[in-house]
Amino acid sequence: MVPEDGAQQAAAATAEHPAVSEVDSFRRQVDDLASKTDVLERRVNEVVGFYDGKKHGSGGRRASGSSRYAANGARDSNCKGMPDLTRQLTGIIRQITSHEWSAPFLQPVDVVGLQLDDYHKIITKPMDFSTIQNKMEGKDGTKYKSVREIYSDVRLIFTNAMTYNDEHHDVHIMAKLLLEKFEEKWLQLLPKVENEERKQQVEPNDVPTTDTSPEDAIAKLAKDTDDELNEINKQLEMLRNMVVQRCRKMTTDEKRKLGAGLCHLTPDDLSKALELVAQDNPDFQTTAEEVDLDMDAQVKAPLF
């Protein structure tokens, strides 16, 4: 939290230099989107790694009813790996719940007490660590069938918080940090998870398979990741439009400097720059031997 006198100083600085504050705001938004993208990139790599590993582990056979994973380690006499993985994941969860910022996520959101009338309209599947603990112990009549299901629900706690709360809200910031810590720990455990899943691949008539398989869990992760990527694209487009609206025409000196800078670009970088210009100008030919760039019509400078 910012001390009161510090907040007053910040407000005064903003009043004197509103443009600087706006630039900082744009920069924070870009940094936040970059951080989210890093997390999503790790998830994409996880999805790709899962299917690559499954392909090589099954000798290239198509996943079907004749080749499935037992999600809960059904062969108790032969496979002890899944319970061990659950214990390791429980240890990771314990580290997260011991963090000083974990308090808002330990129990269900007090929708009535906090007067969050729209919470269930925005969050369709609430989640918290006490609910996860109860399900791990089978107290509510259901139980997790795989560590990937547990992983998915832990992620849901934080993504719910980040969805409902504004990016500058304390809870959003806390959820983002804890999610990054959890994802980092999960990626360290993931090779063991994939290795154990390959060991537990079963043939028909071996043992009954469960309703939820690793394939289902990874498919859900892929869908969630795709949805979040689409949301980031929307935020980027909104941010781009906001920046464009705050632009002005360049001065003669600025155009001269830009022209000189373009002359020093490598061919690849110059092509990328021209492609950016062409995004808002469909008739602009980027592959012509010579191009005529009207800076007054196509290039603007930030109004800061």
Side-chain angles (χ1 to χ4, degrees), residues 154-167:
V154 173
R155 281 194 61 250
L156 185 61
I157 294 174
F158 301 125
T159 56
N160 280 349
M162 295 169 68
T163 298
Y164 185 78
N165 296 282
D166 181 81
E167 63 182 352

Side-chain angles (χ1 to χ4, degrees), residues 24-42:
D24 288 341
S25 176
F26 284 134
R27 183 179 294 111
R28 285 194 299 269
Q29 292 181 64
V30 171
D31 290 343
D32 182 58
L33 291 175
S35 177
K36 290 179 181 178
T37 303
D38 289 340
V39 173
L40 294 178
E41 182 180 12
R42 291 197 291 269

